[in-house]
């Protein structure tokens, strides 16, 4: 048989995208060839997400499509990686006959072995979770670019009652500060201009000597021309030390993704989020005092079990108080195996949708107003490349993660920092002209 060529499709959060680079690193180390063309591949891997039912439905639809490919090209191997692999395990193979291998997030070192097994005509399953695996020694395979995602920790110990992540990713564990710093040094030499440190709850990063603030500070001094971003912060664990560290280093972005989920203390308690709205708002206050100009984004769930109209109004109220720059907004989706799954999913689809609409509408309005208020200001933008809509325009982002579009100019190259004066704004984008 001709040499194996592997194609990977990635779904879900940024940690999954980082994991795909890790898997590619593992495969490259063993001399496997990767391809970006599904038609050239004889191994097709889907790195999947289980966070909401619709994420899984998307994969089932994709598998139906792959069934056709497999029928036309005999001997094609199809594998499921990621959170669905971990959640559904051998059921995936039993129910979806076209799946040949199922590999969970802590067993990626064994993918080459499972691919061989699959070619030998047997199904391969590796879904053990580990308390220690961090893939610290593996260099992810990355193409050249400006931004690199770096997983600094794996797993989550928070057990929010709605969430599958603690079950699909296992217990929290962190990489060593040194290996992360070394990775950033290599990225700096390759011309990267931005790193985003990733974890489900980066605030609980610990390599036994250093906490997350130490890690951020160490990351920031590697190369002052590299912007350092991070996600996600849990409101219970965000320390003042971390806020001071962000304030102290000019290249740590003044932008915090701080999921609130709901504005009602009763619902937060049912969600096991372990903070109150008072604590949350106080934290936002402190962050704004310590880091002038800091901006926030959030995650919100509508229609959690027992959520009343009053609870919903409290969520809208928090949004008005904080005035987030942006938000990721979802309808509650019951996940088997979680605590909330045992509660009755008693909010109808119509009510969930209506509340979600209220939330989206309000956020849209707030984002629009915040962006309007930026008109006339000057921002330092990292030029990332052509804008989506036109090659005559460049696009980049501000320190606070807002997209800015400005006319192309010969003097500006991808990766440059440029000063742009904002002269127009929508709820999603700022427009301006170069001041350099
Ligand atoms: N660790 C991060 C991200 C978790 S997943 C955090 O703690 O915020 C991203 C978001 O998906 C969550 O913040 C939550 O808003 C949403 N989410 C998770 N499980 C969900 C579910 N069962 N239904 C709807 N939204 C969910
Ligand atoms: Fe899920 Fe909560 Fe962990 Fe985030 S903190 S991954 S929402 S359990
Ligand atoms: Fe999805 Fe797993 Fe990420 S469930 S959101 S891919 S951790």
């Amino acid at each position: 048989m001709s040499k194996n060529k592997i194609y990977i499709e990635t779904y879900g959060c940024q940690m999954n995208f980082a994991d795909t680079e890790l898997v590619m690193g593992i495969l490259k180390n063993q001399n496997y060839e990767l391809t970006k063309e599904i038609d050239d591949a004889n191994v097709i891997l889907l790195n999947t997400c289980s966070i909401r039912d619709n994420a899984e439905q998307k994969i089932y639809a994709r598998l139906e499509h792959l069934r056709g490919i497999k029928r036309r090209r005999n001997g094609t191997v199809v594998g499921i990686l990621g959170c669905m692999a971990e959640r559904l395990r051998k059921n995936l193979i039993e129910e979806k006959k076209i799946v040949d291998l199922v590999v969970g997030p802590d067993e990626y070192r064994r993918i080459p072995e499972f691919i061989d097994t699959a070619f030998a005509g047997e199904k391969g399953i590796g879904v053990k979770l580990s308390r220690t695996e961090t893939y610290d020694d593996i260099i992810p395979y990355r193409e050249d670019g400006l931004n690199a995602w770096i997983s600094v920790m794996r797993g989550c110990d928070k057990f929010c009652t709605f969430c599958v992540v603690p079950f699909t990713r296992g217990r929290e564990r962190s990489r060593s500060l040194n290996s992360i710093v070394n990775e950033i040094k290599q990225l700096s030499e390759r011309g990267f201009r931005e790193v985003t440190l990733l974890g489900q709850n980066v605030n609980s990063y610990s390599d036994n000597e250093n906490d997350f603030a130490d890690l951020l500070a160490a990351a920031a001094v590697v190369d002052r021309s590299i912007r350092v971003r991070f996600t996600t912060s849990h409101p219970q664990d965000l320390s003042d030390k971390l806020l001071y560290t962000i304030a102290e280093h000019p290249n740590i972005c003044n932008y915090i993704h701080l999921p609130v989920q709901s504005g009602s203390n009763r619902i937060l308690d049912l969600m096991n989020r372990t903070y109150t709205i008072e604590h949350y708002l106080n934290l936002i206050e402190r962050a704004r005092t310590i880091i002038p100009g800091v901006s926030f984004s959030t995650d919100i769930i509508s229609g959690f079990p027992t959520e009343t109209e009053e609870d919903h109004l409290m969520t809208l109220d928090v949004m008005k108080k904080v005035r987030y720059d942006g938000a990721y907004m979802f309808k509650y989706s019951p996940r088997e195996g979680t605590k909330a799954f045992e509660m009755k999913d008693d909010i109808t689809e119509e009510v969930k949708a209506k509340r979600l609409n209220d939330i989206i509408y309000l956020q849209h309005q707030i984002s629009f107003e915040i962006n309007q208020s930026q008109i006339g200001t000057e921002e330092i933008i990292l030029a990332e490349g052509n804008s989506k809509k036109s090659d005559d325009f460049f696009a980049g982002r501000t320190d606070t993660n807002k997209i800015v579009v400005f006319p192309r100019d010969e003097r500006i190259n991808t990766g440059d920092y440029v000063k742009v004066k904002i002269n127009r704004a929508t709820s999603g984008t700022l427009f301006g002209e170069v001041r350099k």
Side-chain angles (χ1 to χ4, degrees):
M1 181 183 291
S2 66
K3 200 164 156 32
N4 294 332
K5 273 200 182 169
I6 300 171
Y7 166 86
I8 312 183
E9 243 167 52
T10 312
Y11 298 81
C13 64
Q14 278 134 8
M15 271 152 276
N16 249 17
F17 283 80
D19 275 0
T20 291
E21 294 178 339
L22 197 74
V23 168
M24 293 196 291
I26 291 169
L27 291 167
K28 279 262 172 191
N29 280 345
Q30 308 230 356
N31 294 319
Y32 281 86
E33 213 178 307
L34 303 170
T35 173
K36 285 186 181 162
E37 300 300 327
I38 194 166
D39 292 334
D40 289 345
N42 62 346
V43 178
I44 300 172
L45 303 176
L46 307 182
N47 191 2
T48 62
C49 173
S50 286
I51 200 80
R52 285 166 291 275
D53 186 55
N54 56 11
E56 292 194 348
Q57 294 311 322
K58 218 192 276 178
I59 299 298
Y60 288 129
R62 194 66 184 131
L63 282 176
E64 281 314 308
H65 177 79
L66 296 184
R67 193 193 297 280
I69 295 187
K70 201 161 160 156
R71 206 177 295 135
R72 286 194 299 279
R73 283 191 271 138
N74 227 333
T76 306
V77 163
V78 172
I80 300 285
L81 317 180
C83 290
M84 261 176 99
E86 194 59 51
R87 195 177 86 78
L88 299 166
R89 302 171 172 224
K90 68 177 192 320
N91 294 345
L92 263 177
I93 283 186
E94 280 161 10
E95 278 162 29
K96 298 285 159 190
K97 299 276 182 279
I98 74 154
V99 175
D100 302 298
L101 52 111
V102 172
V103 189
D106 287 346
E107 296 252 51
Y108 291 154
R109 288 179 200 268
R110 293 177 64 200
I111 288 182
E113 176 195 325
F114 289 126
I115 291 176
D116 291 347
T117 314
F119 278 118
E122 272 172 57
K123 306 272 180 184
I125 305 188
V127 289
K128 273 210 205 83
L129 287 171
S130 158
R131 285 182 176 268
T132 52
E133 178 65 274
T134 59
Y135 301 105
D136 215 13
D137 56 316
I138 291 177
I139 299 169
Y141 175 74
R142 292 190 181 94
E143 302 199 330
D144 287 332
L146 289 182
N147 177 53
W149 307 104
I150 305 181
S151 283
V152 301
M153 59 177 300
R154 303 183 68 84
C156 182
D157 288 351
K158 286 285 178 213
F159 289 94
C160 302
T161 56
F162 50 79
C163 184
V164 292
V165 172
F167 305 99
T168 61
R169 298 262 164 178
R171 297 290 59 76
E172 268 174 22
R173 65 218 103 112
S174 301
R175 289 176 56 184
S176 67
L177 179 139
N178 281 339
S179 85
I180 298 161
V181 165
N182 283 335
E183 197 170 327
I184 300 173
K185 280 184 185 148
Q186 289 171 17
L187 291 165
S188 154
E189 281 157 19
R190 284 178 60 188
F192 279 80
R193 279 285 159 273
E194 188 172 82
V195 294
T196 307
L197 309 185
L198 298 175
Q200 293 296 352
N201 173 18
V202 286
N203 305 123
S204 56
Y205 171 89
S206 167
D207 73 351
N208 296 324
E209 281 171 45
N210 305 286
D211 62 15
F212 188 61
D214 300 328
L215 174 65
L216 263 190
V221 297
V222 170
D223 176 348
R224 286 295 188 192
S225 73
I226 287 190
R227 278 181 171 176
V228 181
R229 298 186 186 277
F230 58 95
T231 196
T232 297
S233 296
H234 189 289
Q236 193 199 18
D237 305 325
L238 194 100
S239 66
D240 280 4
K241 178 180 171 190
L242 179 57
L243 297 176
Y244 283 110
T245 305
I246 299 170
E248 193 183 319
H249 295 269
N251 57 327
I252 301 179
C253 290
N254 292 344
Y255 167 69
I256 305 176
H257 182 62
L258 198 64
V260 66
Q261 314 296 2
S262 166
S264 153
N265 283 335
R266 188 181 68 83
I267 296 292
L268 287 175
D269 189 43
L270 288 175
M271 288 176 163
N272 189 33
R273 286 292 290 180
T274 69
Y275 52 83
T276 60
I277 281 301
E278 292 72 26
H279 168 89
Y280 185 92
L281 291 174
N282 185 274
L283 186 57
I284 297 267
E285 257 326 290
R286 282 212 309 281
R288 287 194 161 135
T289 312
I290 296 170
I291 316 166
V294 66
S295 77
F296 295 95
S297 61
T298 200
D299 294 347
I300 296 172
I301 297 178
S302 82
F304 188 81
T306 77
E307 186 187 72
T308 61
E309 196 57 28
E310 210 178 0
D311 294 319
H312 169 59
L313 292 176
M314 291 182 194
T315 298
L316 298 179
D317 193 50
V318 168
M319 294 171 70
K320 287 179 202 155
K321 284 192 173 123
V322 178
R323 294 179 66 79
Y324 297 102
D325 280 54
Y328 301 90
M329 302 157 280
F330 314 100
K331 278 189 275 190
Y332 170 67
S333 168
R335 310 309 288 135
E336 207 175 341
T338 62
K339 266 255 170 70
F341 192 77
E342 293 157 25
M343 305 172 198
K344 195 164 163 247
D345 181 22
D346 59 350
I347 311 300
T348 62
E349 192 53 31
E350 292 69 44
V351 172
K352 280 183 192 170
K354 185 222 153 258
R355 289 181 186 165
L356 180 64
N357 264 339
D358 292 349
I359 291 167
I360 293 173
Y361 182 81
L362 175 61
Q363 183 53 47
H364 203 262
Q365 199 181 337
I366 293 171
S367 298
F368 182 74
E369 286 167 11
I370 292 178
N371 285 354
Q372 287 294 310
S373 73
Q374 305 275 303
I375 292 175
T377 62
E378 290 186 338
E379 297 278 349
I380 304 291
I381 313 298
L382 174 62
E384 293 176 16
N386 290 345
S387 88
K388 271 194 202 143
K389 293 197 179 135
S390 160
D391 291 351
D392 297 334
F393 289 84
F394 252 161
R397 271 175 305 149
T398 63
D399 176 292
T400 56
N401 213 23
K402 288 180 184 301
I403 295 173
V404 181
V405 171
F406 50 96
R408 234 192 135 82
D409 179 327
E410 281 95 64
R411 294 167 299 171
I412 300 166
N413 294 305
T414 300
D416 287 351
Y417 287 99
V418 284
K419 198 187 268 179
V420 174
K421 182 162 185 209
I422 308 303
N423 53 27
R424 190 162 71 84
T426 65
S427 65
T429 314
L430 303 174
F431 299 85
E433 59 198 47
V434 178
R435 280 296 156 98
K436 188 169 136 182

